[in-house]
Amino acid sequence: MKLNLIAGFTLAFMAVTGFSQAQQTAPAQTAPPAQAAPAAAPVAPTTNYDYHELFGPLFYNKNGNEYRAADGEPGPKYWQNRADYQLAAKLNDVTNEITGSETLTYTNNSPQNLGYLWMNLEQNLFKLDSRGTAIVPLVGNPPVATSRNWGRGQDFDAGYKIKSVKVIGLKGATTDVKFLISDTRMQIYLPAAVTANGGQVKLKIEYSFISPNYGSDRMGIQDTKKGKIFQVAQWYPRMCVYDDVYGWNTIPYTGPGEFYLEYGDFDLSITAPANHIVVASGELLNPQEVYTPTQLKRWAEASASEKTVIIRSAAEVTDPASRPAGKKELTWHFKIKNARDASWASSASFIVDAAKMDLPSGKKSIAISAYPVESDGVEAWGRSTEYVKKSIEYNSKQWYEFPYPAATAVAGIVGGMEYPGIVFCGYKAKKGSLWGVNDHEFGHTWFPMIVGSNERLYGWMDEGFNTFINTLSTADFNNGEYARKPGDMHRAGAMFTAPGLEPMMSQPANLKERNTGLLLYAKPGAGLTLLREQILGHERFDFAFRTYIAKWAFKHPTPEDFFRTMENAGGENLQWFWRGWFQHNWRLDVAVRDVKYVDNDATKGAYITIDNLEKMAMPVILEIKTVSGKTDRVKLPVEIWERNSTWTFKYPSTEEIESVTYDPDKVLPDFNPDNNVWKKQ
């Protein structure tokens, strides 16, 4: 679903010398001395463009305030709540049941007292009577209820079994509290409110669930020759976000929208059969208890190696000596700090390899891959750790340093899904496609793991931003081993703005599923490419984008926070762009209408007229070719459309013009190329 739309050059705004006149709306101007006025151009065609609409004021919903400043950064009184988790889980690999215990410390930094809490119970999506199951669309002939992202009711006793919810007192005593489960949410009624400005409550929750075989492409179980692979996510009751924008964010989890979560520290203890290897978010704290002495030496080698080091080979997978002896099960202890989630995977079938990652600050981190024998080989997962390492190193240098002690890619049934420090990718992925999915899923480290936007409402703020940074990391990897040529933005523009397509700012659950890839991934990714390549230029864009990431790292930005930051740090009023490309589904169609010569003499200069026929505008790029074969480029700023739908400018020709071509490199999203070229008759 990703488009590689890296443009071939940067827009440089240039002043156009000589006479310029807006034929349609500006007052008539006197021609320069000794020059006759240009001959009348052909009548302007009918246009849908309204410059008052595109460039109008009042784009933002409100002024900046003490919580969210006008320049897009968190205000002096910005707050967000915090959720710290101690999680213990036990895997039964025969029944597929996961039994868990959660100790949650919730800190209320808001200015309101909170008398009740809301938690997410995403496993309930897979119940036969869930809302997500009810809205799975019928597809095909005969119609079948199928979807990658919506819930599909599982034909077993799916969903959470909440055994108890207790409040833990100051001296450790526990008290049962009332709770109410409504589909994928649980409301907890507290005996006393969590006080504002730093009050805390500690809960203990006992629960269990049976893992679905295929969990909406976010978790599941893959059978392999050497055993099941469990990719485990959304595996504990998770706090809903309470913020200054909506209060409690309690949108039901029906499948399409992903997650919006609080930050905190996670302490994980995962108990699995002793022949399993477990990988998880964060740092493994007890490697000496769960790996053999030989494997520990290999881990030490990998932590200092630029090349991939095998920790457990394909030949060792079925060898009992590759696991600690004398135990039926082992408990793996992991920790990750300042994260918004944690996930894990477990299997007896795992090959494991690793290599160190070189981060800008010198901080230590390691790239890890875990995959079955079916995925082994240099054309497949044998290069996974190389991909993880290079992707994270590039994005750490380019945008913001990777914050976690490990980055683990796990092969399994899931085609591609991201969690802090760990991603799940398809076990059948090969070479270039594996680079793409690893790079994309670990790109999510920056959006939304570091910059914690609300995926339930604004999926484009994580998928689209990530799609954009993927184009740059792919161009960089191994001298562009998997890079594509720049795309044709004319064709893409036609797709992005097709009539009837929903606006990109729509909630993910409010989009037709077939439009998700276009509107959450490709169009916002292309929008950032346009900003970088054609509107701001690399230096201004990169500074503004880094500023946005740094200001909102481990916080909760809204679209307005992003828009304001890019404008303030980039030094450009971009409200026309946000309005046309993000808020609306407006099309771009610029036509080259006519060329006339001063005094009918090509050596004295030419008047070139262009028209904006649709509701969107962009800077203008024109290629001018003369009869002798010479070519020249003219670039005009977007401001020519600020109060005009037609623009005429003087070009200093010295001979007849053979052709004028609008957007010759097809880097602008003009959906109608048929009127982009004027040719000498």
Side-chain angles (χ1 to χ4, degrees), residues 202-219:
K202 186 174 286 190
L203 300 177
K204 185 169 185 179
I205 304 173
E206 303 285 344
Y207 64 94
S208 66
F209 67 92
I210 296 174
S211 173
N213 289 328
Y214 177 77
S216 196
D217 209 29
R218 297 190 173 106
M219 65 171 296

Side-chain angles (χ1 to χ4, degrees), residues 51 88 150 194 212 245 252 268 311 323 364 431 456 485 541 662:
Y51 53 84
W150 269 268
V194 193
V245 182
L268 318 177
I311 308 300
R323 305 301 305 118
K364 292 183 178 180
K431 206 175 178 182
R456 291 276 173 92
K485 294 180 180 179
F541 176 92
Y662 169 76

Side-chain angles (χ1 to χ4, degrees), residues 316-354:
E316 294 171 318
V317 167
T318 55
D319 184 354
S322 71
R323 305 301 305 118
K327 294 185 179 181
K328 291 185 177 181
E329 57 187 28
L330 294 169
T331 297
W332 302 66
H333 189 191
F334 297 88
K335 196 167 208 177
I336 187 168
K337 294 183 177 180
N338 205 20
R340 48 177 254 161
D341 197 6
S343 295
W344 53 280
S346 182
S347 181
S349 71
F350 279 153
I351 300 167
V352 180
D353 62 39

Side-chain angles (χ1 to χ4, degrees), residues 19-21 27-38 607:
F19 177 82
S20 67
Q21 179 181 354
Q29 299 183 32
T30 304
Q35 292 185 358
Y607 296 108

Side-chain angles (χ1 to χ4, degrees), residues 155-459:
D155 234 352
F156 62 90
D157 193 14
Y160 278 112
K161 305 295 180 292
I162 304 296
K163 181 180 177 182
S164 64
V165 179
K166 300 176 185 290
V167 169
I168 303 175
L170 292 177
K171 296 183 179 180
T174 61
T175 304
D176 286 299
V177 294
K178 181 182 176 182
F179 61 92
L180 176 68
I181 295 174
S182 175
D183 198 55
T184 58
R185 299 152 302 169
M186 177 168 65
Q187 189 173 25
I188 299 173
Y189 305 95
L190 299 174
V194 193
T195 55
N197 303 314
Q200 287 189 336
V201 64
K202 186 174 286 190
L203 300 177
K204 185 169 185 179
I205 304 173
E206 303 285 344
Y207 64 94
S208 66
F209 67 92
I210 296 174
S211 173
N213 289 328
Y214 177 77
S216 196
D217 209 29
R218 297 190 173 106
M219 65 171 296
I221 306 168
Q222 178 65 54
D223 287 318
T224 75
K225 297 174 185 177
K226 308 298 182 183
K228 298 175 183 177
I229 296 174
F230 292 83
Q231 294 172 314
V232 185
Q234 292 86 66
W235 57 285
Y236 59 97
R238 306 191 293 182
M239 280 302 305
C240 294
V241 172
Y242 183 81
D243 63 22
D244 64 298
V245 182
Y246 293 104
W248 284 109
N249 286 258
T250 56
I251 296 175
Y253 178 43
T254 56
E258 290 185 324
F259 312 114
Y260 184 37
L261 302 165
E262 298 287 16
Y263 288 93
D265 295 341
F266 290 77
D267 187 298
L268 318 177
S269 294
I270 311 298
T271 300
N275 65 335
H276 279 224
I277 285 180
V278 175
V279 289
S281 298
E283 180 183 8
L284 177 64
L285 300 181
N286 62 335
Q288 69 284 351
E289 297 176 13
V290 294
Y291 283 108
T292 67
T294 298
Q295 289 164 351
L296 291 173
K297 290 179 182 178
R298 294 171 180 172
W299 276 114
E301 181 185 350
S303 67
S305 174
E306 296 290 340
K307 300 294 184 182
T308 300
V309 174
I310 301 295
I311 308 300
R312 184 166 79 154
S313 69
E316 294 171 318
V317 167
T318 55
D319 184 354
S322 71
R323 305 301 305 118
K327 294 185 179 181
K328 291 185 177 181
E329 57 187 28
L330 294 169
T331 297
W332 302 66
H333 189 191
F334 297 88
K335 196 167 208 177
I336 187 168
K337 294 183 177 180
N338 205 20
R340 48 177 254 161
D341 197 6
S343 295
W344 53 280
S346 182
S347 181
S349 71
F350 279 153
I351 300 167
V352 180
D353 62 39
K356 77 163 182 172
M357 293 192 293
D358 301 308
L359 301 181
S361 70
K363 184 181 72 173
K364 292 183 178 180
S365 190
I366 191 166
I368 304 166
S369 296
Y371 49 94
V373 293
E374 291 91 332
S375 306
D376 195 15
V378 295
E379 297 300 312
W381 277 78
R383 291 187 70 185
S384 172
T385 291
E386 174 195 0
Y387 297 157
V388 173
K389 171 181 167 66
K390 293 301 183 182
S391 174
I392 288 175
E393 287 177 350
Y394 174 83
N395 286 318
S396 293
K397 182 178 179 181
Q398 176 71 10
W399 305 119
Y400 189 98
E401 186 166 280
F402 183 76
Y404 307 123
T408 304
V410 183
I413 197 170
V414 176
M417 187 61 199
E418 70 280 359
Y419 303 98
I422 189 170
V423 303
F424 300 159
C425 304
Y427 81 108
K428 293 182 179 179
K430 304 290 184 183
K431 206 175 178 182
S433 67
L434 183 58
W435 158 262
V437 72
N438 274 358
D439 182 48
H440 181 78
E441 303 311 332
F442 270 117
H444 277 301
T445 298
W446 287 265
F447 312 101
M449 304 309 165
I450 293 174
V451 182
S453 56
N454 188 338
E455 299 175 87
R456 291 276 173 92
L457 294 179
Y458 312 112

